[in-house]
Amino acid sequence: MDALEFVRVRELEVAVRIWNPDAPRTLIAWHGLARHGGDFSALARELGSGWRILAPDTPGRGLSSWSLFPAHDYLYSHYMTVAIALLDHFKLDRVDWLGTSMGGLLGMLMAADPQHSLRISRLILNDVGPELNQEGLIGLAGYFGVTHRFSNFSELQQELKRHYGSFGITSDSAWRELALNSARRLPDGSWTYHFDPRIGEQFVHDTPRDTWADWANIRCPVMVIRGEESTLLDAATLPRMAEKQPELVTLTVPDCGHAPMLDKPAQVNPIRQFLDRPAPLPAAVGFQAKATTGWQRAVHWLAEQWRRWWK
């Protein structure tokens, strides 16, 4: 990490980890349910100095504030509010987005939203899609819905290796880094994870929606990465996703479950190739909505002049 910035969103402080802050291109990298932006350090290294990586810690995780109102703030609707505030803060009218699990679903909602879709130029989903394995979801909700307490750091380290074994981590140094970045000491000297245990309440309070309809509404180029042994994104879901998005780019990572760490050249090189592809301007599905950025206002104005010219 080369820089750390804190952005106030309503009553919460959101930490944003930054790599290569002066790079000419920007990628938003958003983590999964119980992780934080630090997970993208290897991706930033592999992707190279030409990319500025902005990796927020979602409220309730990492260095960001914990909410006093989890039923209100630990929801996708509020995460979208946070995401838009961060794009505005960094003056990003249009940006590439990579999201792991929860971060991918958030990017999908952004790219499908009539008001904000034009802000996503390319979308990369890491082991997530519009339909998720129900047993896998129940497992996530059950594990992260309770407080985990360890009497010493070694116990926490062992549990991380057990629970995150599907990430495809192979080196001792990577496991050590994961443990150091995942731990929080409690007042009695024991250890727990870095996140607010109430983040799991989103499984209770979030409003169900037709995510297949969201998927069909996406107009930007999309790439989906799937761990070959994923317990969340079934292999049979990918062909159905391609039916709605014929230009879909897919990558299956061998010997990996949910979710690939995106820390090896074999995983990052296809991402780089996808990001280097031209991103056509999507259909302006949001012209009826209020333009919220300078770029969108400019597009709205040009469209209005075009309509007047051809009256």
Side-chain angles (χ1 to χ4, degrees), residues 135-239:
E135 289 185 8
L137 276 177
I138 291 171
L140 284 176
Y143 187 84
F144 293 116
V146 299
T147 300
H148 295 268
R149 187 185 296 269
F150 308 96
S151 59
N152 54 59
F153 191 83
S154 295
E155 286 184 5
L156 183 147
Q157 216 171 8
Q158 292 169 6
E159 174 61 13
L160 279 173
K161 284 189 173 184
R162 186 196 70 81
H163 184 76
Y164 290 108
S166 61
F167 274 29
I169 300 173
T170 56
S171 70
D172 290 340
S173 61
W175 278 118
R176 183 167 57 251
E177 182 178 358
L178 185 74
L180 290 172
N181 291 332
S182 300
R184 173 170 57 90
R185 195 149 205 170
L186 295 170
D188 65 357
S190 61
W191 294 87
T192 188
Y193 293 136
H194 65 90
F195 56 83
D196 182 351
R198 298 188 69 180
I199 59 171
E201 292 188 18
Q202 77 176 63
F203 291 102
V204 177
H205 300 295
D206 228 330
T207 303
R209 58 186 296 148
D210 185 354
T211 47
W212 277 110
D214 292 323
W215 177 251
N217 287 332
I218 295 174
R219 295 294 177 265
C220 67
V222 188
M223 177 180 186
V224 175
I225 301 166
R226 178 182 178 271
E228 185 179 37
E229 302 165 8
S230 175
T231 57
L232 201 63
L233 180 60
D234 294 335
T237 304
L238 292 182

Side-chain angles (χ1 to χ4, degrees), residues 291-310:
T292 58
T293 70
W295 186 87
Q296 286 175 293
R297 285 193 293 270
V299 171
H300 183 83
W301 182 86
L302 288 171
E304 185 63 29
Q305 302 312 306
W306 182 266
R307 283 193 290 267
R308 289 179 180 177
W309 178 266
W310 286 104

Side-chain angles (χ1 to χ4, degrees), residues 11 67-79 196 198-207:
E11 76 283 0
S67 174
L68 296 176
F69 309 100
H72 175 269
D73 290 336
Y74 296 158
L75 305 174
Y76 279 103
S77 57
H78 187 253
Y79 298 157
D196 182 351
R198 298 188 69 180
I199 59 171
E201 292 188 18
Q202 77 176 63
F203 291 102
V204 177
H205 300 295
D206 228 330
T207 303

